[in-house]
Amino acid sequence: MHAWFAGSPDEIRSRRPSDALKVIIGLLLFTWMGFNTERFIPFEDAIADLLRSTPEWFEHVYHGLYLLGLLWCVVILIAVLSQGTTRLGVLRDIGLAAVIAAVAVIIIHQIVHDAWPELLPELTTIEGRYPLARIVLVATIVTVTAPSFTKPIADLGWWIIGLTMVAAVGMEFALPFDTIGTLGLGIAAAGAALLIVGSPGGYPSREELIEDLTELGVPVADLEAASVQPWDA
């Protein structure tokens, strides 16, 4: 799983504008969708009806997809732990972001619903409540680890989030806009954690570049970053 990670373990972290943007956009999505949870929106209702009009056996597919998000979080943890002490920073990121997300979800559920959030609603008879704890958890872990993973792994995580959201609608845990608002809360929690500890840029170290070039038959004695690095270079 070493190939899953981008950049050097000891890469310098920094607080990036993109992380602040995650917090702002995430909170805007969560707030906006939250104000619309009790409103009837024809377009949203049509999407929900479409996803819920599948054959009865398709319910098992939805259950599998909804579980997939939780399993992907476990896979991410295994990948990080498999690197020993070299990726403890990523493990700290996950822990901090998860705590921020959990505290936010618990407070919101206690204030709005006077109840505790359900992480495994498919095992109970309780209907899904906004925000859905499962989607918040998956979105938080995928978002906070994305800077540490290669693009294909990060993109796979986003696809899994999307499938989890579809499954939540199909299983009647939420309406489409509810899942989008819930996603926003997870993104905001991850962005807040990265603003606190800083996020990696995902670039390999100079030593790694020299080693890779040498293996390709291009021996290099030293490397220096260009002073100007245009995006299309």
Side-chain angles (χ1 to χ4, degrees):
M1 290 182 168
H2 175 73
W4 286 21
F5 292 89
S8 173
D10 55 356
E11 181 182 359
I12 297 176
R13 290 169 171 256
S14 59
R15 295 175 177 84
R16 306 176 189 277
S18 59
D19 298 327
L21 199 60
K22 289 184 180 74
V23 177
I24 295 171
I25 293 177
L27 290 178
L28 285 175
L29 278 175
F30 174 71
T31 305
W32 181 33
M33 298 305 171
F35 280 124
N36 289 287
T37 53
E38 301 297 330
R39 295 182 181 179
F40 175 75
I41 303 175
F43 174 71
E44 179 185 31
D45 200 54
I47 295 175
D49 287 342
L50 177 64
L51 293 175
R52 295 167 184 175
S53 62
T54 54
E56 187 175 345
W57 60 265
F58 207 80
E59 183 178 348
H60 299 293
V61 177
Y62 283 142
H63 274 274
L65 292 177
Y66 202 60
L67 180 62
L68 180 62
L70 201 58
L71 293 178
W72 183 243
C73 292
V74 174
V75 170
I76 288 178
L77 285 173
I78 292 174
V80 174
L81 292 173
S82 70
Q83 303 305 300
T85 59
T86 60
R87 298 289 177 176
L88 289 180
V90 183
L91 192 62
R92 176 204 56 205
D93 298 346
I94 295 173
L96 178 59
V99 168
I100 294 173
V103 170
V105 170
I106 289 172
I107 291 175
I108 293 168
H109 273 253
Q110 288 292 325
I111 294 174
V112 178
H113 306 292
D114 193 24
W116 293 94
E118 284 285 334
L119 188 60
L120 300 169
E122 64 268 40
L123 301 181
T124 68
T125 58
I126 300 175
E127 296 182 355
R129 302 190 186 99
Y130 184 79
L132 280 74
R134 175 79 63 82
I135 295 178
V136 173
L137 175 66
V138 178
T140 298
I141 293 180
V142 168
T143 305
V144 81
T145 56
S148 301
F149 284 127
T150 59
K151 191 175 186 301
I153 298 300
D155 289 346
L156 177 59
W158 284 106
W159 278 103
I160 291 175
I161 291 175
L163 292 173
T164 304
M165 293 165 65
V166 169
V169 177
M171 296 170 69
E172 301 186 21
F173 291 152
L175 290 171
F177 288 173
D178 295 341
T179 64
I180 295 175
T182 299
L183 170 66
L185 183 59
I187 292 174
L194 292 175
L195 279 178
I196 293 173
V197 300
S199 60
Y203 303 116
S205 65
R206 187 173 65 87
E207 291 74 17
E208 289 175 325
L209 288 173
I210 293 176
E211 182 180 347
D212 290 343
L213 287 171
T214 302
E215 290 179 357
L216 292 172
V218 186
V220 177
D222 196 8
L223 282 178
E224 183 177 326
S227 56
V228 179
Q229 300 185 28
W231 285 102
D232 57 350

